[in-house]
């Protein structure tokens, strides 16, 4: 979850970078210490973590400390004595997050487990003055913003899948979760979230499978989570729909809801989302050749075809009103006073559907994905997705 105040109201995608980790285990592998440091290639921020895991008994537990910082430009409005906007500029700022988390996992058997996470989180935003106007602006709300949160999350996980080949599974797995977030310095502010993620993998012929996924989440309370639906996980060069104005709220956090190929990030937004993915995965050489393939690039080469359907909305149940797509277009900040145009476009329950095809393989030890997708909204050219990671 990203802080709405700290990310300027739009989800901030992490930059491509390098991660260095060091892990230390005892002989019996009952204790593990892990540390890591990440530096983006554009030097826009840093991240590092320290983690301890204990596997001595049936109840696994661990402690994690995480610190991230990102440099982002924020729009800042300056008003006159009657609160009219007379000037707007982009100010550089640094969003800093510190979090301490405790994790517990109790296996009921080989395929079922109950997991609990609890954490304390501290978010801080520092805006740097760039001229005499911003230097004179000493309001605490714009100079320094601090938020303290407590987080609790309970999960039930079922997983009976087998993994005979890279990115190929058989069986099904799912989880249900519920969580509560409480603002420690924002008065009586908090929200609860619950959701599920169900995945089913069906063998068709050898390593050729059909994979499907259904995910849903709901957030409610006095400071909700806004889910931005669209795109894929770990999308390199991600683009976002910045003109969409989400309904509902008030929102304290923002989270990506993926995958919905054929659309940019934030194609739909609200305190609820639901998405269904259907994908056929065909490892070409290992499915049709009997002899072993030595090259990891050729051995893991897959062709996929997919359909994604999803929506996000405000309120609990979707209807024609809370799924209407609303856009806001602003004039350039040089115009005084700035003017914004707001357009609300109703559609068929906000339903988004994308379809297309793609390729998967291993390059330099990384599993890379390339997809081309269209949507039912009428785009003529496909949207390309280059991303990292397996599964959906």
């Amino acid at each position: 979850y990203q802080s709405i105040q700290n990310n300027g109201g739009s989800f901030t995608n992490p930059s491509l970078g390098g991660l260095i980790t060091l892990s230390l285990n005892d002989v019996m592998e009952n204790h593990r210490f892990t540390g890591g440091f990440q530096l983006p290639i554009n030097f826009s921020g840093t991240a590092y973590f320290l983690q301890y895991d204990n596997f001595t008994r049936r109840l696994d537990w661990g402690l994690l400390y995480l610190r991230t910082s990102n440099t982002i430009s924020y729009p800042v409005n300056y008003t006159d004595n009657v609160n009219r906007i007379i000037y707007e500029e982009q100010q550089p700022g640094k969003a800093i997050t510190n979090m301490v988390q405790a994790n517990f996992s109790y296996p009921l058997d080989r395929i079922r487990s109950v997991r609990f996470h609890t954490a304390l989180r501290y978010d801080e935003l520092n805006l740097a003055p760039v001229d005499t106007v911003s230097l004179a602006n000493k309001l605490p709300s714009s100079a320094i913003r601090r938020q303290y949160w407590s987080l609790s999350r309970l999960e039930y996980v079922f997983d009976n899948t087998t993994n005979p080949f890279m990115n190929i599974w058989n069986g099904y797995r799912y989880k249900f979760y519920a969580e509560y977030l409480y603002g420690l310095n924002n008065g009586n502010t908090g929200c609860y979230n619950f959701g599920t993620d169900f995945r089913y993998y069906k063998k068709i012929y050898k390593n050729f499978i059909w994979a499907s996924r259904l995910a849903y989440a709901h957030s409610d309370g006095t400071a909700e989570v806004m889910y931005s639906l669209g795109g894929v996980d770990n999308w390199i060069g991600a683009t976002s729909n910045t003109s969409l104005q989400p309904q509902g709220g008030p929102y304290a956090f923002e989270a990506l809801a993926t995958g919905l190929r054929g659309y940019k990030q934030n194609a739909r937004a609200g305190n609820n989302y639901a998405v269904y993915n259907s994908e056929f995965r065909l490892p070409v050489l290992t499915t049709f050749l009997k002899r072993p393939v030595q090259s990891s690039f050729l051995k893991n080469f897959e062709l996929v075809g997919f359909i994604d359907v999803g929506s996000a909305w405000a309120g609990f149940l979707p209807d024609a009103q809370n799924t209407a797509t609303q856009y806001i277009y602003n004039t350039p900040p040089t115009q005084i006073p700035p003017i914004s145009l707001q357009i609300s476009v109703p559609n068929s329950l906000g339903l988004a559907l994308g379809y297309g095809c793609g390729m998967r393989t291993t390059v330099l030890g990384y599993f890379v994905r390339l997809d081309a997708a269209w949507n039912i909204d009428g785009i003529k050219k496909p949207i390309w997705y280059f991303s990292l990671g397996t599964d959906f």
Side-chain angles (χ1 to χ4, degrees):
Y1 298 141
Q2 290 189 3
S3 170
I4 288 287
Q5 294 188 48
N6 287 8
N7 64 13
S10 61
F11 192 87
T12 303
N13 291 281
S15 302
L16 187 66
L19 175 67
I20 300 175
T21 60
L22 177 65
S23 183
L24 178 65
N25 299 279
D26 70 325
V27 176
M28 302 300 295
E29 296 186 350
N30 289 327
H31 306 273
R32 181 173 63 198
F33 296 89
T34 308
F37 175 80
Q38 183 182 37
L39 181 65
I41 58 177
N42 60 359
F43 301 100
S44 62
T46 59
Y48 58 85
F49 71 95
L50 296 172
Q51 185 172 3
Y52 167 72
D53 294 298
N54 187 301
F55 308 106
T56 305
R57 303 184 183 277
R58 185 169 183 173
L59 175 66
D60 299 334
W61 63 274
L63 296 173
L64 167 69
Y65 170 71
L66 171 67
R67 176 184 172 88
T68 63
S69 64
N70 293 292
T71 302
I72 313 171
S73 294
Y74 297 88
V76 178
N77 297 327
Y78 298 95
T79 60
D80 57 13
N81 54 1
V82 292
N83 206 31
R84 292 181 303 180
I85 298 177
I86 59 174
Y87 181 63
E88 180 184 270
E89 70 174 1
Q90 296 288 327
Q91 282 188 226
K94 178 176 289 188
I96 302 173
T97 298
N98 290 274
M99 186 176 70
V100 178
Q101 178 174 285
N103 310 308
F104 303 90
S105 178
Y106 185 81
L108 303 177
D109 51 35
R110 292 180 179 270
I111 60 177
R112 298 179 301 157
S113 64
V114 177
R115 304 175 185 181
F116 178 72
H117 313 272
T118 183
L120 291 175
R121 171 173 172 160
Y122 167 62
D123 293 308
E124 180 180 354
L125 172 61
N126 294 328
L127 295 180
V130 294
D131 50 28
T132 56
V133 177
S134 58
L135 184 63
N137 182 19
K138 297 183 180 300
L139 295 176
S141 60
S142 61
I144 299 177
R145 301 170 183 170
R146 295 184 176 94
Q147 299 178 23
Y148 298 86
W149 292 86
S150 67
L151 301 85
S152 301
R153 180 183 177 102
L154 180 65
E155 297 180 350
Y156 173 78
V157 179
F158 179 95
D159 188 352
N160 72 349
T161 58
T162 58
N163 185 209
F165 194 72
M166 175 72 76
N167 201 39
I168 301 298
W169 282 268
N170 294 320
Y172 63 95
R173 54 185 176 181
Y174 60 86
K175 70 176 178 180
F176 298 97
Y177 67 88
E179 57 187 2
Y180 182 71
L181 291 74
Y182 182 74
L184 300 177
N185 66 329
N186 298 319
N188 189 18
T189 302
C191 74
Y192 63 88
N193 311 315
F194 60 84
T196 184
D197 189 310
F198 184 92
R199 307 185 183 196
Y200 175 66
Y201 308 92
K202 175 64 176 178
K203 178 179 178 180
I204 298 177
Y205 175 73
K206 292 186 177 180
N207 290 328
F208 181 33
I209 68 167
W210 169 56
S212 60
R213 168 181 174 260
L214 177 64
Y216 166 78
H218 169 75
S219 177
D220 204 350
T222 56
E224 301 171 349
V225 174
M226 183 182 74
Y227 298 103
S228 297
L229 181 64
V232 295
D233 281 336
N234 302 320
W235 183 7
I236 299 177
T239 57
S240 179
N241 179 15
T242 58
S243 60
L244 178 67
Q245 177 66 18
Q247 304 297 305
Y251 295 111
F253 294 97
E254 182 177 8
L256 284 183
T258 56
L260 183 64
R261 287 159 287 192
Y263 295 85
K264 299 179 180 180
Q265 293 177 350
N266 203 41
R268 305 287 189 271
N271 65 311
N272 303 266
Y273 86 91
V275 64
Y276 173 76
N277 311 109
S278 180
E279 189 171 282
F280 290 93
R281 301 175 185 170
L282 174 63
V284 180
L285 297 183
T286 58
T287 299
F288 298 108
L289 293 183
K290 295 183 179 180
R291 61 182 183 182
V293 180
Q294 300 301 323
S295 170
S296 60
F297 179 88
L298 297 177
K299 180 173 63 175
N300 297 321
F301 181 77
E302 297 178 11
L303 295 177
V304 301
F306 58 84
I307 295 178
D308 299 332
V309 184
S311 184
W313 64 92
F316 185 71
L317 296 175
D319 56 37
Q321 180 179 358
N322 59 28
T323 57
T325 304
Q326 189 175 71
Y327 300 93
I328 289 183
Y329 299 94
N330 295 313
T331 57
T334 54
Q335 179 173 328
I336 301 176
I339 300 174
S340 64
L341 176 64
Q342 181 170 307
I343 302 175
S344 181
V345 181
N347 52 40
S348 56
L349 293 182
L351 188 66
L353 187 150
Y355 56 92
C357 57
M359 298 180 295
R360 312 278 188 269
T361 192
T362 302
V363 178
L364 300 176
Y366 293 92
F367 194 78
V368 298
R369 304 177 297 188
L370 180 63
D371 295 307
W374 293 259
N375 63 43
I376 60 172
D377 292 351
I379 62 170
K380 296 182 180 180
K381 295 183 179 180
I383 298 179
W384 292 88
Y385 302 90
F386 179 64
S387 57
L388 303 176
T390 59
D391 215 3
F392 296 100

